[in-house]
Amino acid sequence: MEAKPEAAGRRAASGLRIEDLRSDAARLSADEFETQHGNAFLLLSSTGFKQSKSATSTEVLLLDPEEEVGERTAGVSVQIVPIRAAKNSLTHLITIGRTEKNDVTLSDISVSRFHAFFKRNPAGGFQLHDAGSTNGTTVNGLSVSTREAGPPRNVKSGDNIRFGQLDVTFLEADALRSYLAKFGD
């Protein structure tokens, strides 16, 4: 039986939709929001482009301005993925990878099974290490070292992170709440 292109190709993380968090951001205090949802997040845009027969490529067609848009436009949605340890986690690290054994699962073919990990820095922020992934990790275009090869990279709200070929934006809870407030009800 042949795997569906979506299952074999580029799928994003299963995260929370903006609509699901917007009301909590409006009604909960900052502390209550962090307790319920976490204090750091990855914003992930998933675009409904047409998957080609090759699971590693995407076909994007530019439309003539005179053509009707209708069903031909890509559907873009933003998912919000909390960065938090799983309930059964035995470590202070928050693992990122393609398999469900990780604290944060990014189901993209370019993401290694165990790709990277976050840990808290002494000041309370987050640091990111690559876990020896096949396709690497970058923050704002700068490579992230593996644990053995160098120091971690500190991340802050608004940083662009790339796990393999998957681009995400890192946001702390206060920045996410500000972002969600822009959408209104």
Side-chain angles (χ1 to χ4, degrees):
M1 186 160 120
E2 186 177 322
K4 292 180 183 178
E6 182 178 318
R10 296 176 159 284
R11 288 184 302 131
S14 57
L16 306 168
R17 297 177 325 145
I18 287 175
E19 296 81 16
D20 298 336
L21 288 178
R22 188 174 52 203
S23 63
D24 283 353
R27 72 179 174 77
L28 298 174
S29 71
D31 288 340
E32 291 170 328
F33 185 86
E34 285 188 35
T35 299
Q36 186 164 340
H37 298 291
N39 54 12
F41 304 85
L42 299 175
L43 255 63
L44 175 68
S45 294
S46 55
T47 308
F49 291 127
K50 180 181 175 187
Q51 185 75 40
S52 72
K53 292 185 192 264
S54 165
T56 59
S57 66
T58 303
E59 181 181 343
V60 180
L61 301 172
L62 298 177
L63 299 176
D64 184 292
E66 301 296 322
E67 288 184 307
E68 274 191 47
V69 177
E71 295 180 23
R72 296 177 115 199
T73 59
V76 177
S77 66
V78 175
Q79 290 188 338
I80 301 164
V81 181
I83 300 172
R84 56 188 337 175
K87 291 180 180 172
N88 59 351
S89 183
L90 301 174
T91 178
H92 66 287
L93 305 175
I94 301 170
T95 61
I96 310 286
R98 192 175 67 233
T99 67
E100 292 180 11
K101 292 180 181 178
N102 292 286
D103 298 312
V104 177
T105 304
L106 300 176
S107 300
D108 185 280
I109 197 167
S110 70
V111 175
S112 295
R113 282 183 226 120
F114 172 40
H115 194 96
F117 58 90
F118 286 98
K119 65 180 184 178
R120 298 302 292 236
N121 66 27
F126 284 87
Q127 296 176 321
L128 181 62
H129 263 294
D130 186 88
S133 67
T134 301
N135 294 315
T137 305
T138 63
V139 174
N140 299 325
L142 301 172
S143 290
V144 174
S145 299
T146 61
R147 187 175 205 165
E148 300 81 27
R153 187 154 315 269
N154 289 317
V155 293
K156 62 185 181 330
S157 284
D159 281 349
N160 294 312
I161 302 173
R162 178 173 263 204
F163 299 104
Q165 297 301 311
L166 185 66
D167 292 313
V168 298
T169 303
F170 177 87
L171 288 179
E172 293 179 272
D174 58 339
L176 176 62
R177 287 170 50 89
S178 295
Y179 177 76
L180 293 170
K182 292 178 184 178
F183 288 94
D185 281 319

